[in-house]
Amino acid sequence: MLWLTKLFISILFTTICLAALPFVKYRNLFSCLQVSTLLSIFALPVSIATATTSVFVFMAVGWIPLVGAFSEILAAFISTFVFQTVALFVADKMVEGFEIKTISHTFYTVFILSLFNAIAFALLGM
């Protein structure tokens, strides 16, 4: 039940953040909600894959003092930011009244959304 609550909070918070970003062009708030919902749906398998990949990477090289922690962070970065950037790019193309101009702006958007969602979940105690 907690993951469902986090999903809905993430969708609402992502919608508000997308509407506030200056390089995001949208027709109305509903188009931001559509992109946020699509991004969250696309991100569910990515979050499962991130947890699985993190475990396998940690089992492979986790015993090495500095390399183990760095490799886990690198695996989480690749599976989270890269896949979510692609997911946001696809969601951007699927919704007609929403536009992020370049792929670099899409990457910045994913970084900002991840940062603000982490802050929001920390403040809510989740």
Side-chain angles (χ1 to χ4, degrees):
M1 188 67 174
L2 180 66
W3 67 271
L4 190 61
T5 306
K6 286 177 89 171
L7 178 71
F8 286 130
I9 290 172
S10 177
I11 288 172
L12 290 175
F13 196 71
T14 301
T15 302
I16 293 167
C17 286
L18 284 174
L21 290 174
F23 46 82
V24 173
K25 307 291 184 219
Y26 59 95
R27 186 178 334 158
N28 52 21
L29 196 59
F30 184 67
S31 60
C32 289
L33 180 66
Q34 288 175 327
V35 169
S36 176
T37 304
L38 286 172
L39 177 63
S40 296
I41 289 170
F42 293 154
L44 280 176
V46 172
S47 64
I48 294 168
T50 301
T52 307
T53 307
S54 237
V55 168
F56 285 126
V57 167
F58 187 73
M59 286 172 49
V61 293
W63 55 275
I64 303 172
L66 292 174
V67 175
F70 178 72
S71 64
E72 190 173 347
I73 291 169
L74 185 63
F77 172 77
I78 290 172
S79 52
T80 301
F81 287 117
V82 173
F83 289 136
Q84 283 192 357
T85 302
V86 171
L88 182 60
F89 184 76
V90 169
D92 174 22
K93 298 302 176 195
M94 290 176 72
V95 176
E96 191 169 317
F98 188 87
E99 180 186 5
I100 300 176
K101 292 195 182 283
T102 64
I103 194 75
S104 63
H105 283 140
T106 306
F107 185 77
Y108 294 147
T109 303
V110 168
F111 180 74
I112 291 168
L113 291 176
S114 298
L115 182 68
F116 283 134
N117 276 330
I119 291 170
F121 289 139
L123 291 176
L124 291 173
M126 295 182 149

